[in-house]
Structures are given as structure tokens and as C-alpha cells.
Amino acid sequence: MMVRFAAVLLAYLASISVAMAQPADPLPSWNDGAAKTAISDFVARVTAQGGRDFVPPAERIATFDNDGTLWTEQPFYFQLAFAFDRVKAMAPEHPDWKTRQPFKALLEKDSKALAASGEKGLLQIVMATHAGMTTDAFANLVRDWLATARHPRFNRPYDSLVYQPMLELLAYLRANGFKTFVVSGGGVEFMRPWMERVYGIPPEQVVGSSGVVKFQIGADGKPVLMKEAKVEFIDDGPGKPVGINRFIGRRPIFAFGNSDGDLQMLQWTTAGSGARFAGIVHHTDEVREYAYDRQSKVGKLDKALDAAAASGWTVVDMKRDWKEVFPSLTAAAKEVKP
């Protein structure tokens, strides 16, 4: 009896030892499937010392779009939500906005008139709310807004509507010697104040659209950088590879996007020699988040979806491939009606 008991005990201890020896899953919010396997296989290949696809750490550059790839972008880009709230806050100082479009439409909640103003109108709103102040003052406004503003559907802070699976992916890549960058059409001054806290990506690794910034000496005799109402660079579509070349200086070997605005970044990444990875987040979950692609006015995914099928890129089906969407917000998201 004692011998049998000892044998059982030893077998039990051995099973515990094996379980403890197995590394924890670095992507626990990803369901097992083709997308997760493609990611882990790629990382294993490019980090295997002496392997055919080995890539030195200095060349392990990974770029990610932000809106719709790392956080939610519906019902409109979050930077626009910030700009809209700034118009309301600044309105008492600009009485002419009551009769001047597109500000009049926004203040009166006239969605049709606002939509009719088009991209030109939205640009007017962004320029009016993002310029005429120092870069430090603007960064403080962004931080204050994120601390108080809430998403209209989820009633949660905007910076909590980031994707848990993508947070895990960022950490997984960095643990394997990758340097992670955000390459987004969003404003670089809007993104830099919070991305290191939320994504672990420092300001110098954030590439985005930018307005003209001018150096000058302030009233107190100290130098400042003033934001002007002029566009300097649009980091979207074909601008993304240009921005990568200008600000990063290395072609990525790994890139993730979610829309046609990311197509050229994915094409540029995969056109390089050696092992390459291109991924697309496909929004298919109207219950936990949103479902949209070819017909969407925000985050349209049409040409890039076709390119993914033709080129063998990895398409992540949000509904099928992700166990969770938001960090510790899954239960609450299920309760919200789309």
C-alpha cells in the first residue's frame, strides 16, 4: 500500500512540476486559432538564433495603427470627440460661433449640417481647438479630458476602451526584443501625452499627423513651442510609409492596422526582404464592440481587406479570435446594446 501511495504521490508531484515548467500563455485573451498561431509562429521564427528567418533585435520594428487597431474608433474618432468638447468649452469666448458654421451646427447638435460641412468643416474645428497654445498646455488639456470624458455608448473613459488582446501583443513583442511604434493618422500631440501610460509606448515612438509648431520666447522670458493653425504632415494612407521613413528610419518587419488608411503601411512592411508579418483587425463583434468594414464612414476596410486575402496577411476576426475585447470591461460591454 505504501509503495503504491508513494508512486501515486510521485506521479502527482511530477505532473505539478511539468505544469510549473510550462511558460504562461503570453496572449491569454486570444482564442487558439489561425491568427494567434500566425503571430506566435512568426515571433518564434524571427527570434530563433541561427534560424533561417532570424532578425537581429535592432531590426525588429513593429508598427501599429491606433484608431480601430489599439482602441475603439466608433462612433467617431476619439480626437474628434475631444475637439467637439473643446468647442463647447471655448464657446463663451467665441460668441461668433453661434452663427458661424460648422461651429453653429456643433453647438446646436445639428448632425446633418455638421456632416454637410465635410472634411473642411472638421478640419476647421480641429484647428480652432488645437492651436493658439503651447504644446505643454495642449498636453495638459488632453490629459484633463481623458480623466473626465466618457464614451457615449459604453459610458467609460476613452483610454479604457483599448483592446486587451492588443495590449498583450505589444507586451509579447517587446518581451521578444521588438521595438513597438504607433503610426497613426491621429494628431501626434494628442497621442503622446497618454500612450506610454496606456500602451507602454514612449512619446518618441509615436508617429502621427502634425500641425506647425513654432519656437518663441514667452511673456515670462522662457522658451515655448506654440501650436499654429496650419497642417504640417498627414500621417495616413500613403503618408504612413513616408512617416515611418522620416521618423523611424527602418522598415518594419511587423505591422498591424484595421482600415484602408493602413494599406500602404502594410504594403511597405511586407515588401521588404526576409520574414514579414501584416495583420488587420476586422471589427465583427457588434455586441462587445462594433461590426463594420466596407461601407463604414469611420475606419472603412475595403481595399485592405481584399489585399489581405490576395497577399495572405493575417486577418483577426474580433468576434472569433478574441476572448475579451476591453481590459476588465467584457461583462459591462455585453450588457450594452449595440
Side-chain angles (χ1 to χ4, degrees):
M1 177 66 74
M2 290 298 294
V3 174
R4 183 179 179 185
F5 175 76
V8 172
L9 179 60
L10 287 173
Y12 174 71
L13 292 174
S15 67
I16 293 178
S17 177
V18 170
M20 293 179 65
Q22 292 178 346
D25 183 356
L27 302 173
S29 296
W30 293 72
N31 286 313
D32 292 335
K36 183 175 182 179
T37 298
I39 292 169
S40 58
D41 284 355
F42 177 82
V43 172
R45 285 164 47 213
V46 299
T47 58
Q49 189 79 36
R52 183 183 63 180
D53 293 322
F54 176 75
V55 177
E59 299 175 21
R60 295 177 200 166
I61 303 298
T63 57
F64 290 80
D65 169 56
N66 182 48
D67 296 309
T69 301
L70 296 179
W71 74 353
T72 298
E73 63 184 351
Q74 297 284 355
F76 39 70
Y77 299 119
F78 292 176
Q79 188 170 354
L80 280 180
F82 166 76
F84 292 167
D85 284 349
R86 287 297 303 152
V87 166
K88 297 169 187 175
M90 296 168 63
E93 303 170 16
H94 299 271
D96 60 306
W97 285 358
K98 293 181 179 180
T99 57
R100 178 183 162 198
Q101 296 290 13
F103 305 97
K104 179 177 183 292
L106 181 57
L107 293 172
E108 295 178 353
K109 299 180 180 181
D110 186 345
S111 58
K112 289 185 178 180
L114 184 61
S117 69
E119 291 185 6
K120 182 180 179 180
L122 294 178
L123 184 60
Q124 283 183 276
I125 291 172
V126 170
M127 290 295 100
T129 56
H130 288 51
M133 69 192 83
T134 67
T135 53
D136 288 340
F138 183 76
N140 287 332
L141 286 174
V142 172
R143 294 189 191 98
D144 291 343
W145 179 77
L146 286 173
T148 57
R150 295 294 183 270
H151 188 273
R153 173 185 168 189
F154 296 106
N155 192 30
R156 299 280 183 166
Y158 284 94
D159 57 3
S160 72
L161 294 173
V162 297
Y163 303 134
Q164 178 63 29
M166 299 305 280
L167 295 179
E168 294 168 1
L169 177 56
L170 289 170
Y172 176 50
L173 292 175
R174 289 193 288 263
N176 282 277
F178 282 78
K179 196 170 185 179
T180 54
F181 291 81
V182 162
V183 179
S184 171
V188 69
E189 304 289 354
F190 175 78
M191 296 185 291
R192 283 178 172 167
W194 54 270
M195 283 203 165
E196 187 165 24
R197 171 178 58 83
V198 177
Y199 299 147
I201 297 178
E204 65 271 19
Q205 289 168 217
V206 177
V207 180
S209 299
S210 57
V212 173
V213 174
K214 183 179 179 180
F215 173 89
Q216 66 183 51
I217 302 299
D220 58 359
K222 296 181 179 180
V224 294
L225 292 175
M226 292 294 297
K227 290 173 60 62
E228 298 188 349
K230 300 177 183 178
V231 176
E232 179 186 44
F233 175 65
I234 299 297
D235 189 54
D236 196 36
K240 289 197 173 188
V242 174
I244 291 170
N245 179 68
R246 181 186 298 183
F247 300 108
I248 300 175
R250 287 185 187 271
R251 191 195 299 250
I253 66 169
F254 186 105
F256 240 106
N258 80 291
S259 73
D260 286 358
D262 304 310
L263 175 58
Q264 290 83 358
M265 177 175 72
L266 299 174
Q267 291 173 327
W268 173 247
T269 297
T270 55
S273 60
R276 301 277 156 173
F277 182 97
I280 290 178
V281 176
H282 189 189
H283 294 261
T284 58
D285 197 328
E286 71 282 359
V287 175
R288 295 185 299 175
E289 202 239 16
Y290 296 94
Y292 59 96
D293 45 45
R294 298 184 189 275
Q295 302 303 318
S296 180
K297 293 182 179 180
V298 176
K300 181 179 180 179
L301 177 61
D302 184 25
K303 294 180 180 179
L305 193 59
D306 292 337
S311 304
W313 298 344
T314 297
V315 177
V316 176
D317 185 304
M318 181 180 286
K319 188 174 185 178
R320 180 190 64 212
D321 292 322
W322 287 358
K323 294 178 183 177
E324 299 180 11
V325 175
F326 305 122
S328 67
L329 290 179
T330 305
K334 287 181 179 179
E335 296 174 0
V336 180
K337 294 182 180 180

